[in-house]
């Protein structure tokens, strides 16, 4: 859930009861269900799905969301510091695959990369993770390192996982969006 929040979520604290909202594309109903399940597993007894154009906001009201997601704040995530608390760090260190799954399901993609070398075309699977926040990018890199998954930066805001064994390892943790 933390990975999904860092990608496509926000916490509204201006209302009487804080509300955590994570936007999930209509194209991935399995992701919507997984987000709903994650909110319930963490704290929520009640989760709502609010249909928007092209997406569903999975949301839950709760007084303790600000305690569980202290990274919230005014402005865009890439314009403020995003640092995990010690207890969040311990959880990610124990379960980096879950964190990476949330990050890649919100701001990542798996696709077939096509390259032509000396007239011969090669097609292979590849993951990309794109995020404007240097802090969130650093957290993704750290979690991939914890999993022993090789990655490269191909732009300042774009990370690539392309080695065959790295893609296979990431497949085991991220799984398909459905």
């Amino acid at each position: 859930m933390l990975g999904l929040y860092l990608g496509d979520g926000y916490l509204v604290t201006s209302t009487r009861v804080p509300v955590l909202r994570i936007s999930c594309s209509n194209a991935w109903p399995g992701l919507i269900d997984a987000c709903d399940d994650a909110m319930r597993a963490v704290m929520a007894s009640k989760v709502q799905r609010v249909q928007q154009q092209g997406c569903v906001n999975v949301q839950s009201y709760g007084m303790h969301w600000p305690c569980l997601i202290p990274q919230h704040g005014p402005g865009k995530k890439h314009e403020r510091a995003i640092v995990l608390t010690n207890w969040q760090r311990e959880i990610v260190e124990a379960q980096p695959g879950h964190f990476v799954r949330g990050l890649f399901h919100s701001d990542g993609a798996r696709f077939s990369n096509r390259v032509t070398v000396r007239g011969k075309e090669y097609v292979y699977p590849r993951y990309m993770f794109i995020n404007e926040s240097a802090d969130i990018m650093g957290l993704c890199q750290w979690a991939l390192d914890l999993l022993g998954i090789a990655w490269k930066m191909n732009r300042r805001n774009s990370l690539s996982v392309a080695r065959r064994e790295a893609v296979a390892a990431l497949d085991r943790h991220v799984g398909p969006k459905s």
Side-chain angles (χ1 to χ4, degrees):
M1 191 186 76
L2 179 60
L4 287 172
Y5 163 77
L6 291 175
D8 293 324
Y10 60 101
L11 185 60
V12 179
T13 57
S14 59
T15 58
R16 190 172 62 83
V17 177
V19 60
L20 173 63
R21 288 189 181 119
I22 298 176
S23 298
C24 300
S25 171
N26 287 337
W28 310 111
L31 180 59
I32 295 166
D33 291 339
C35 182
D36 186 306
D37 292 345
M39 281 187 185
R40 290 176 195 278
V42 171
M43 185 187 81
S45 59
K46 189 174 184 184
V47 176
Q48 299 169 323
R49 298 178 184 197
V50 180
Q51 183 65 53
Q52 303 289 321
Q53 185 174 351
C55 71
V56 172
N57 282 332
V58 180
Q59 66 182 31
S60 173
Y61 290 83
M63 293 303 292
H64 297 292
W65 283 125
C67 304
L68 294 173
I69 304 179
Q71 291 74 23
H72 77 284
K76 299 175 181 175
K77 290 183 196 113
H78 70 275
E79 295 175 350
R80 63 178 193 263
I82 302 292
V83 179
L84 298 184
T85 63
N86 289 338
W87 64 267
Q88 287 174 316
R89 210 171 238 306
E90 289 174 12
I91 291 169
V92 172
E93 285 174 345
Q95 298 289 328
H98 292 295
F99 181 66
V100 164
R101 182 173 195 229
L103 290 173
F104 274 86
H105 278 194
S106 61
D107 288 335
R110 184 186 192 278
F111 57 93
S112 293
N113 197 44
R114 297 180 187 283
V115 294
T116 303
V117 178
R118 291 188 275 283
K120 185 171 181 187
E121 185 176 74
Y122 297 91
V123 179
Y124 61 93
R126 177 180 185 183
Y127 279 93
M128 297 290 289
F129 177 75
I130 299 173
N131 196 292
E132 291 298 321
S133 168
D135 291 342
I136 294 172
M137 186 62 72
L139 290 170
C140 182
Q141 294 165 349
W142 169 65
L144 289 170
D145 288 345
L146 289 173
L147 293 168
I149 294 174
W151 54 269
K152 287 187 177 185
M153 295 298 293
N154 55 339
R155 291 192 321 261
R156 67 164 182 76
N157 67 341
S158 178
L159 176 148
S160 170
V161 174
R163 290 186 178 163
R164 181 177 293 134
E165 63 279 357
V167 169
L170 200 50
D171 280 343
R172 288 190 297 274
H173 293 286
V174 173
K177 284 185 187 178
S178 55

